[in-house]
Amino acid sequence: MTNPAPQITSPFPAATADQWRSLVEKTLKDAPFESLRKATPEGLAIEPLYEAPDNAPVLATRPYDVERPWDLRVATTHPDPAAARNQLIRDLEGGAASVLVRLDPTGQAGVAVGSPEALAKALDGVLVELASVALDAGFLGPKAADWLSAFAKSAPNAVLAFHMDPLSAFAEAGESPGPVESHLVSAATVGARLAEIYPKATLFLASGRVVHEAGGGEAGELAFAIASAIAYAKAAVVAGMSMEDAFSRIVLGLSADVDYFLTIAKLRAARLLWAQVTAACGVSVPARIEARSSARMLAAQDAWTNMLRLTSAAFGASVGGADAVVLGAFTDPLGPPTAFARRQSRNTQLVLMEEAHLGRVADPAAGAGYVETLTDEIARAAWTQVQAIEAKGGLINALAAGLVADEVAKVVAARDPKPRIVGVTAFPPTQQAPVEVERVTPKAVDAPSPRLPGPDGHCPPLRPIRLAQAHEAAQ
């Protein structure tokens, strides 16, 4: 009998933190060890080494589905409803699971829809019992919700995401057509009525993306989302819904950025805070998260590198446990995407889902010292901001008082004035590779006014930025 082969996988002696530090200090030469410590723009510490946590929390994760671990959602903003419809049908045939339609009667920032007939034209051929349909309609949200309801024809199995979110529209524009409180009441009233017709539908999108796109940090974005959820739940209860039904009809909206560690930790922190808020309200409802790729991270210069950023964002969103993921196109800073650009965004998710198998492990980042610590830090910082918002009387008052805008301004001021952006400030190309975009001519359509009786609401606006823009303009 031959001797067994040597075990090359025999355990090595465990290395200690002191041993690691001793080796690292040799490579630092004259630089202090503290030079390895970093911080996020919000001031959250990032250490060079983390140990495994002793008591990491067990997070509730999205429902496990081996065939479709998360909802691959595609968006359209094409101004022509017929062209938008063709994009969505092509994406669904190519592997997408649901669609998001952004409405804008002017045609400048979304599909030019101003009536139920126009929305039906944009969704013609989409089977709402099989493919979820989500909206993004700003102050027109309640009216658009009724248009979508008409398209679904009261089918009880329709999987609809009405995504009413007047608070984000107010925060970005800095004003509302009529009192923003009235828009909140209108959304809740329409939502309560539609909830009885569509038991599988969600009503509100409590999104913090407006903070992210304006340059804010992870904790600020998460705080805005949680404060929005609280406001929508309160309004829904006043409109006649139970507390449990109100929270079950809310989706959290967050951004997925190029730094996938921050994205993973932020989404995990969102579930921690959601559990804390719902428990305080006496209900037990799992969080549902829709993650959309960051627009501010994309660059117009050397736009092909945006594919890497979008892949990182999709990775972070999927590992972080997003229930639905929406990826933009790599050409977005230059113009509307072609069929090729849309296919790249769609297939990025399909590869991560079906070839990299990212959805086969529930909460794969659990137990990692860095991610667990960062999750805790973001959650605590966000909760402090939520408390400050509620102390002002809620999100509307906090926006009007400038509390949210001030926090965003602090983070923007703390950002590196020359961030390392591949293709822009790092490794810029000597010659730009051509990028094709679709040429469209927006055409405005008539639409009902979103104005409600009473004085307009006002707050410091959270205008979206693009981090590479200033550096691209200097080229």
Side-chain angles (χ1 to χ4, degrees), residues 113-121 123-124 126 128-129 133 135 141-156 158 160 162 190 193-194 197-198 201:
V113 166
S115 67
E117 294 78 16
L119 181 60
K121 186 176 182 179
L123 293 173
D124 183 32
V126 178
V128 293
E129 293 89 351
V133 176
L135 296 177
K143 290 184 172 61
D146 278 331
W147 300 343
L148 180 56
S149 175
F151 175 77
K153 300 177 181 178
S154 300
L160 308 177
F162 293 109
V190 171
R193 171 167 49 81
L194 294 176
I197 304 172
Y198 301 102

Side-chain angles (χ1 to χ4, degrees), residues 147-474:
W147 300 343
L148 180 56
S149 175
F151 175 77
K153 300 177 181 178
S154 300
N157 291 323
V159 188
L160 308 177
F162 293 109
H163 273 13
M164 290 182 285
D165 187 13
L167 295 177
S168 287
F170 175 56
E172 181 175 347
E175 59 184 0
S176 61
V180 67
E181 294 86 353
S182 297
H183 285 277
L184 185 59
V185 171
S186 174
T189 303
V190 171
R193 171 167 49 81
L194 294 176
E196 296 181 359
I197 304 172
Y198 301 102
K200 295 184 178 181
T202 56
L203 306 174
F204 308 99
L205 180 67
S207 176
R209 294 181 58 254
V210 64
V211 168
H212 172 88
E213 298 298 355
E218 287 69 31
E221 177 187 358
L222 183 51
F224 192 101
I226 294 297
S228 293
I230 294 172
Y232 291 140
K234 287 181 178 178
V237 170
V238 171
M241 298 177 66
S242 69
M243 187 69 73
E244 183 170 2
D245 197 20
F247 274 108
S248 69
R249 303 301 186 116
I250 297 172
V251 176
L252 290 176
L254 297 172
S255 297
D257 207 351
V258 65
D259 187 328
Y260 49 80
F261 281 120
L262 282 174
T263 298
I264 293 168
K266 178 175 64 182
L267 267 61
R268 297 178 81 248
R271 294 191 182 276
L272 283 175
L273 293 189
W274 177 269
Q276 183 164 329
V277 169
T278 52
C281 294
V283 298
S284 178
V285 176
R288 280 192 272 191
I289 300 175
E290 180 197 76
R292 301 187 197 180
S293 60
S294 167
R296 78 181 190 194
M297 72 176 179
L298 301 181
Q301 183 173 307
D302 198 14
W304 296 96
T305 59
N306 288 331
M307 289 188 182
L308 303 177
R309 299 181 182 98
L310 290 167
T311 301
S312 293
F315 176 87
S318 58
V319 172
D323 297 88
V325 180
V326 185
L327 280 192
F330 76 97
T331 61
D332 281 349
L334 300 174
T338 61
F340 168 75
R342 293 182 67 86
R343 185 171 72 249
Q344 290 299 316
S345 290
R346 185 179 70 242
N347 287 352
T348 294
Q349 288 200 59
L350 289 173
V351 169
L352 294 176
M353 183 184 298
E354 299 180 2
E355 298 185 26
H357 303 295
L358 293 187
R360 287 186 176 270
V361 178
D363 198 9
Y370 175 37
V371 177
E372 292 287 8
T373 302
L374 196 56
T375 298
D376 182 71
E377 289 178 343
I378 292 175
R380 291 179 184 276
W383 186 245
T384 298
Q385 293 191 39
V386 170
Q387 290 176 310
I389 290 171
E390 292 304 305
K392 281 287 186 181
L395 186 54
I396 291 176
N397 288 345
L399 284 166
L403 177 65
V404 177
D406 288 345
E407 288 295 330
V408 171
K410 291 176 185 176
V411 176
V412 171
R415 290 192 180 279
D416 187 343
K418 190 174 181 181
R420 187 174 178 81
I421 303 173
V422 174
V424 182
T425 60
F427 313 110
T430 56
Q431 184 176 357
Q432 290 287 330
V435 175
E436 291 186 6
V437 295
E438 188 170 348
R439 302 300 175 187
V440 299
T441 303
K443 184 179 179 181
V445 298
D446 292 332
S449 172
R451 178 167 295 282
L452 296 176
D456 294 352
H458 295 280
C459 71
L462 301 180
R463 302 295 191 196
I465 65 172
R466 192 153 47 79
L467 297 180
Q469 197 161 21
H471 310 288
E472 291 168 335

